[in-house]
Amino acid sequence: MRELIHFFHTNDLHSHFTYWKRSQSFIQMQRKMLSDRGETSFLVDLGDHLDRSNLYTEATLGKGNIKMLNEAQYDVVTIGNNEGITLPYNVLYHLYDDAEFEVVVGNLYSQFEENPRWMKPYTILTTRYGTKIAVIAATAQFDLFYKELGWEVTTPRAELIKLAFKLKKQADIIICMSHLGITEDELLAQECPIIDVIFGSHTHHVFEQGRLENNVLLTGGGKFGQYTGQLEIEFDHATRTLTEKKDRLYENALLPEVENEGEWLIQLQKEAKLLLDKPVFTLTKSYNKEWFHRSQLSDLFAECMYDYTGADCVMFNAGIFVDKLRKGLISTYDIHKILPHPINICVIQITGSELKEIFLQFENEEWSRLELKGLGFRGIIFGKILNYGIEITKQRELFINGHLMEPDKVYRLATLDLFTFGYFFPSFKYAKKEYYLPDFIRDVFKNYCMKKFQ
């Protein structure tokens, strides 16, 4: 007998719920049709389902996302970096307490206690005809962030290979749910071809019909709810082997609209505002924002960063301010609208000569109109890089807080974590640094303003 088995898969939603209802309606109809034909199907999510730039996710600290996954009847999910490193330790520890699906991640461990009961290194699914499918999963290795938050994240590929060989004799098929990115997926396929399918995510790549790598099928479903994926595999019970595996993507924008989906989206916003719209301080004047030079808002934010870190100098991009700070009662909801980014403050230790080199680089770079997507940035355009406490003369002499820079002296530069990943300043990636977790820049800014304007 040859059995057809189906996996519907989603990834990197980042709390973009625009097409959620129609995607899930489509999946439910397809699964019912397949069930009526006697074929087994499963539904999986590959992580980054939540994103705290979304008001509803922020207001419910991800619990609203878990409710959606429950209602959609997911079978297995793994966690992405947005679940893993944008939530405080206790919030992540209990995030999936009410999950009605299995949560698989094989390379994450608590530093303080036993892992939460919902966290499993693998699971084995069984079809209606008794075929056993081992599901393994791993999340991206953001070591410094996880360590600061109270978790240990181990090398994902090594863990996955170990799990695959452990489960080889227990299962007929091995499926990997990867929140590692396309490069890691390719390496895993080369090193461990006993895995049959690697569901891919994290790098938001798109494989419309999957892609074979060393006879391992790789998938990629984009981002932000663009696509719903459907994997079909054929298992020969006589030979106990897979005879076919193929994947396809459905563009969610082209799926039939579901009744009342617009009203549902509006209701999510209303619920979020109700939870977040509580006044925290009052302003007697407005603070304007600018994207191409300093503003009243950037000056206030720089004050906040100095106060929070005690750094020698400060650097950030003006585009982080999505809106201005208006006169009157200011709520958590207002602060989130201004600073929606899941970004943390980081202090980098850097010598005076290195600081001068960096200063000259960002003075010359034309990043201000960059429409950045990713690295935690959730704004419109990147904006000019602003610095506070750093000045350069016409003679190219650098001054730090009015004092001539000493080339070998180590200075503490307070900046945003997005600058430390190597995209803008590669040297920052390897410099000694301290991440200030778990508070986002909006939390730090709100707390500072509550103290300043009490």
Side-chain angles (χ1 to χ4, degrees):
M1 184 187 84
R2 291 194 172 187
E3 178 187 6
L4 288 178
I5 307 164
H6 305 264
F7 278 82
F8 293 90
H9 55 94
T10 57
N11 65 278
D12 295 287
L13 188 75
H14 286 272
S15 294
H16 282 66
F17 302 128
T18 304
Y19 302 124
W20 176 256
K21 281 293 187 181
R22 68 180 69 177
S23 169
Q24 295 308 315
S25 175
F26 168 76
I27 292 170
Q28 288 169 12
M29 287 189 293
Q30 293 295 307
R31 294 189 75 181
K32 183 180 186 309
M33 180 187 71
L34 294 170
S35 180
D36 291 344
R37 292 197 327 222
E39 298 174 18
T40 302
S41 70
F42 301 100
L43 176 56
V44 300
D45 184 80
L46 311 179
D48 276 4
H49 187 277
L50 67 79
D51 191 312
R52 289 181 61 187
S53 62
N54 176 274
L55 284 166
Y56 180 71
T57 295
E58 175 74 357
T60 63
L61 282 178
K63 288 288 189 179
N65 294 71
I66 308 310
K67 180 183 177 184
M68 289 181 193
L69 292 165
N70 282 340
E71 290 171 349
Q73 298 182 318
Y74 273 73
D75 295 292
V76 189
V77 309
T78 192
I79 75 167
N81 46 289
N82 272 270
E83 286 87 7
I85 62 174
T86 71
L87 294 169
Y89 174 85
N90 285 330
V91 175
L92 175 57
Y93 196 92
H94 294 289
L95 179 63
Y96 297 95
D97 283 354
D98 299 321
E100 296 167 9
F101 46 83
E102 295 197 84
V103 184
V104 176
V105 55
N107 66 322
L108 192 61
Y109 304 90
S110 169
Q111 293 181 19
F112 310 124
E113 55 194 312
E114 292 293 321
N115 273 359
R117 58 176 177 76
W118 49 261
M119 188 181 289
K120 300 179 180 179
Y122 68 89
T123 190
I124 295 180
L125 305 173
T126 305
T127 72
R128 65 172 65 190
Y129 298 105
T131 304
K132 294 190 179 300
I133 304 169
V135 180
I136 58 179
T139 195
Q141 192 176 3
F142 287 87
D143 302 79
L144 292 176
F145 286 84
Y146 277 113
K147 183 178 180 181
E148 288 292 328
L149 289 167
W151 300 93
E152 178 188 358
V153 60
T154 56
T155 307
R157 227 179 320 137
E159 296 282 4
L160 291 169
I161 292 170
K162 183 169 62 177
L163 284 166
F165 278 96
K166 172 183 176 180
L167 297 167
K168 191 178 185 320
K169 293 182 180 179
Q170 301 178 39
D172 302 297
I173 300 166
I174 300 178
I175 299 289
C176 174
M177 298 170 58
S178 162
H179 198 90
L180 305 175
I182 182 57
T183 301
E184 282 293 313
D185 292 352
E186 291 169 343
L187 291 169
L188 180 61
Q190 288 295 330
E191 294 179 18
C192 192
I194 64 170
I195 296 174
D196 295 292
V197 178
I198 299 174
F199 288 116
S201 63
H202 184 51
T203 43
H204 303 168
H205 52 285
V206 176
F207 295 150
E208 292 185 358
Q209 296 181 318
R211 197 189 88 191
L212 278 176
E213 179 78 27
N214 198 25
N215 203 38
V216 179
L217 184 65
L218 309 183
T219 79
K223 62 180 179 179
F224 302 166
Q226 292 171 301
Y227 299 102
T228 295
Q230 182 179 357
L231 170 75
E232 182 182 294
I233 49 182
E234 184 180 76
F235 182 70
D236 189 325
H237 282 254
T239 61
R240 311 303 295 176
T241 59
L242 279 184
T243 54
E244 187 177 17
K245 47 190 174 184
K246 57 185 180 181
D247 192 62
R248 67 168 296 184
L249 298 178
Y250 297 91
E251 191 171 350
N252 290 332
L254 302 181
L255 296 176
E257 186 175 343
V258 175
E259 185 180 2
N260 297 326
E261 69 178 5
E263 289 84 349
W264 177 76
L265 289 168
I266 291 170
Q267 185 57 37
L268 290 184
Q269 294 298 302
K270 286 181 178 178
E271 288 181 33
K273 188 171 183 180
L274 187 65
L275 291 169
L276 295 175
D277 204 13
K278 295 177 174 59
V280 287
F281 60 89
T282 303
L283 292 178
T284 57
K285 69 171 188 175
S286 294
Y287 287 76
N288 73 306
K289 70 159 180 68
E290 300 288 347
W291 286 339
F292 305 111
H293 50 80
R294 290 187 181 187
S295 65
Q296 294 167 320
L297 190 51
S298 72
D299 290 348
L300 181 61
F301 186 72
E303 282 180 29
C304 163
M305 290 185 72
Y306 273 121
D307 179 77
Y308 188 61
T309 65
D312 298 303
C313 43
V314 167
M315 182 187 80
F316 56 88
N317 58 302
I320 60 170
F321 307 112
V322 178
D323 200 356
K324 68 178 182 180
L325 194 58
R326 290 174 172 79
K327 176 182 176 180
L329 290 173
I330 304 298
S331 67
T332 303
Y333 175 80
D334 297 317
I335 298 295
H336 189 283
K337 286 199 303 179
I338 294 168
L339 295 166
H341 330 276
I343 289 175
N344 301 98
I345 291 174
C346 178
V347 171
I348 299 172
Q349 294 189 25
I350 185 170
T351 65
S353 57
E354 290 171 330
L355 188 57
K356 182 175 182 179
E357 184 179 333
I358 293 295
F359 180 87
L360 293 174
Q361 181 182 345
F362 67 64
E363 281 290 292
N364 295 325
E365 289 289 353
E366 297 180 355
W367 290 327
S368 60
R369 295 188 181 275
L370 176 67
E371 294 183 12
L372 179 66
K373 303 295 180 186
L375 303 178
F377 184 72
R378 303 293 186 260
I380 300 168
I381 61 172
F382 188 72
K384 181 178 174 60
I385 293 182
L386 305 176
N387 68 84
Y388 288 81
I390 309 173
E391 293 181 15
I392 194 163
T393 67
K394 292 179 180 179
Q395 293 74 36
R396 295 312 225 190
E397 291 182 315
L398 198 72
F399 285 78
I400 310 294
N401 291 321
H403 300 284
L404 184 64
M405 175 271 290
E406 299 176 37
D408 296 326
K409 181 178 177 179
V410 175
Y411 295 91
R412 297 176 71 247
L413 171 66
T415 188
L416 310 179
D417 63 20
L418 69 88
F419 288 110
T420 69
F421 302 135
Y423 180 84
F424 294 99
F425 306 113
S427 62
F428 282 6
K429 187 174 182 179
Y430 306 103
K432 186 176 181 180
K433 49 190 169 285
E434 179 184 2
Y435 292 101
Y436 287 68
L437 306 173
D439 286 347
F440 290 147
I441 53 175
R442 61 173 169 267
D443 303 312
V444 176
F445 184 63
K446 181 183 76 172
N447 292 337
Y448 177 75
C449 289
M450 288 172 66
K451 178 174 63 175
K452 182 180 177 71
F453 302 113
Q454 63 182 353

